[in-house]
Amino acid sequence: QVQLVESGGGLVQPGGSLRLSCAFSGLTLDDGGIGWFRQAPGKEREGVSCISTNDGNTYYTAPVKGRFTTSKDSAKNMVYLQMSGLKPEDTAVYYCATDCERRGRFGSWGQGTQVTVSS
């Protein structure tokens, strides 16, 4: 029973920071790495980051490189997404998901948490 629950979203001013959390349970190595994805209204869901269990590396997509940092605390069964230098275009529902190496296509997803960047 894989389960993921996101939290930490909210309203932030441009240039501000926010930390999202993903509590996970029931995972094995077969479930792959945990990544973050986001979806803005009227747009397709896009990848944000991936902590790969395959090669041990962490990956980011171009729009967030240098601004977002993801990390995993295995002892607490938590994955975090630390966001800084937030821009209005970062506004979206943020999801964590397993199997991020394959874009989460065969993984499990959380319910999402809303991040709104606005002045």
Side-chain angles (χ1 to χ4, degrees):
Q1 316 138 276
V2 177
Q3 190 165 29
L4 304 100
V5 180
E6 302 94 336
S7 62
L11 176 64
V12 205
Q13 292 186 336
S17 298
L18 200 64
R19 188 182 76 164
L20 306 183
S21 298
C22 173
F24 62 88
S25 61
L27 300 184
T28 69
L29 189 60
D30 290 338
D31 293 305
I34 298 178
W36 290 92
F37 302 80
R38 66 186 185 184
Q39 186 168 27
K43 298 182 65 178
E44 293 186 0
R45 188 152 60 194
E46 65 178 356
V48 173
S49 64
C50 180
I51 304 175
S52 176
T53 58
N54 184 35
D55 60 15
N57 291 324
T58 301
Y59 300 89
Y60 302 91
T61 54
V64 308
K65 285 180 181 176
R67 300 188 297 121
F68 291 9
T69 301
T70 189
S71 60
K72 182 180 182 180
D73 188 336
S74 296
K76 295 182 177 180
N77 283 7
M78 296 287 288
V79 170
Y80 305 100
L81 183 67
Q82 179 66 52
M83 306 180 293
S84 62
L86 284 163
K87 305 174 181 179
E89 50 262 47
D90 293 318
T91 296
V93 176
Y94 284 71
Y95 302 87
C96 59
T98 63
D99 196 36
C100 63
E101 296 93 337
R102 298 188 293 181
R103 309 296 193 267
R105 291 190 295 267
F106 306 100
S108 299
W109 293 71
Q111 83 291 338
T113 185
Q114 174 72 230
V115 173
T116 302
V117 184
S118 176
S119 58

